Structures are given as C-alpha cells and as structure tokens.
Amino acid sequence: MAILDILVYPEQALKQVSEAVTDFDDDLRQFVADLDETRLQAPGCVGIAAPQVGRFQRVAIVDVSANPKHKSNGLILLINPEIVAWEGFVKGREGCLSVPDYTGNVMRAEKITLETQDPEGNTRQYQCEGFEARAVQHEIDHLDGLLFLDRLVSRRKDLFPRKVYKK
C-alpha cells in the first residue's frame, strides 16, 4: 500500500467534480486500499475522498468507529454514493485534511439513508446518524467539488484555528 499526497486548500483541483466509477477492477481495489492507508496516517481522521489525493472519481471512505461514543456502521466505502433520504438538520464542527489550519461550523442532515457501491460493484445501503452522517456528507461534498469552507454557517463567526493533534 502507498501513502498518497494530500491536496491542500487553495488548490483549485479540489473544486473539480468527480466522475462516477465504472470499472470495478483491481486498480480500484488497490486505490481504495491506498486511500484508506493515507487516511489512517492522519491522527483523528475519520474520512477521506479521492479528490483530496488528486483522483477525480466518486470514491471516499468513512470510519468513525475509533470513537465508541458515536454510533457507527464501521468502515464504509463510498463508491458512487448517493444520499436517498435525510432527516433533521444540526450545526456541528468539521475539519478536513485539505484544510489543515481551520475547523468550522456547518449545517448537515442529522440522519441520512445512503446508497453506495462496494469495490465489487454491489449496491449497499446504510442508515447513518450524528457524527457518522456528518462525515459521510462531508466526504460526498468533496466528490462534488465542495469543501466545508463552502458551507460555513458564517465565515465571520464559524471558522476557527485548528487544534493540533499529536501522533
């Protein structure tokens, strides 16, 4: 597996909309493994999307299971993900590997129903809520060329210097 380089804001490529995955082959499976290895190298990281490493396909990973206080489905591979239902909205703090110096408050759906594909092309459905639902929505935004900075409630009141995590 390989550790991939992270694109950092204001890199303009982060604004690019990703293409759907059409080939469910060994190259995709190797990329997913490399992407997850890259995610695991960042302390506290619960999600990563392909555009963050310069690959513009609709692929992302979310796993909030390291923190037992959050309800979780475990590791979720997001390949061609789509939110098919949502409920409620809540404001919460988000950070991002591609915006290393800041966090911010963003409104997100509190509960979602997610349809996605696995690396074999099989359709999966997940019910996500709370922090996990927030992480999934954050990663799907990357696939649509959006950063949490684009969804701040208020740029003046809801953008904060990031805490530094120790390895």
Side-chain angles (χ1 to χ4, degrees):
M1 288 186 275
I3 306 299
L4 307 169
D5 293 332
I6 302 289
L7 300 180
V8 176
Y9 177 83
E11 171 60 52
Q12 288 301 302
L14 291 167
K15 294 290 186 186
Q16 186 173 328
V17 176
S18 295
E19 300 286 328
V21 172
T22 55
D23 296 324
F24 295 86
D25 55 14
D26 288 341
D27 178 61
L28 175 66
R29 287 181 278 281
Q30 182 61 54
F31 175 67
V32 168
D34 292 345
L35 191 63
D36 198 38
E37 186 72 15
T38 302
R39 177 186 68 85
L40 293 171
Q41 291 300 307
C45 182
V46 297
I48 191 168
Q52 292 180 274
V53 297
R55 183 160 164 161
F56 299 95
Q57 285 188 299
R58 297 188 73 76
V59 176
I61 298 170
V62 168
D63 186 353
V64 301
S65 64
N67 189 333
K69 75 178 183 182
H70 299 298
K71 218 171 171 182
S72 166
N73 287 291
L75 189 137
I76 302 174
L77 297 179
L78 304 164
I79 300 174
N80 299 327
E82 185 174 344
I83 296 171
V84 295
W86 59 89
E87 181 181 322
F89 285 93
V90 64
K91 184 164 97 173
R93 184 76 59 95
E94 295 184 15
C96 181
L97 289 174
S98 293
V99 186
D101 298 330
Y102 294 95
T103 62
N105 289 330
V106 175
M107 294 294 289
R108 299 279 188 192
E110 192 170 7
K111 295 180 181 178
I112 61 170
T113 300
L114 170 72
E115 283 187 3
T116 186
Q117 291 178 281
D118 67 18
E120 310 304 322
N122 302 306
T123 299
R124 306 279 184 201
Q125 189 174 81
Y126 297 93
Q127 305 296 318
C128 304
E129 63 182 78
F131 184 58
E132 184 177 53
R134 175 171 297 279
V136 167
Q137 292 168 83
H138 177 107
E139 299 311 327
I140 290 174
D141 270 358
H142 277 296
L143 306 180
D144 294 329
L146 296 171
L147 297 173
F148 79 86
L149 298 172
D150 299 311
R151 294 194 181 270
L152 289 173
V153 175
S154 163
R155 283 196 178 266
R156 189 167 50 92
K157 296 179 182 174
D158 292 311
L159 184 63
F160 309 96
R162 184 185 196 105
K163 288 199 263 184
V164 176
Y165 294 97
K166 296 178 182 173
K167 284 189 174 184

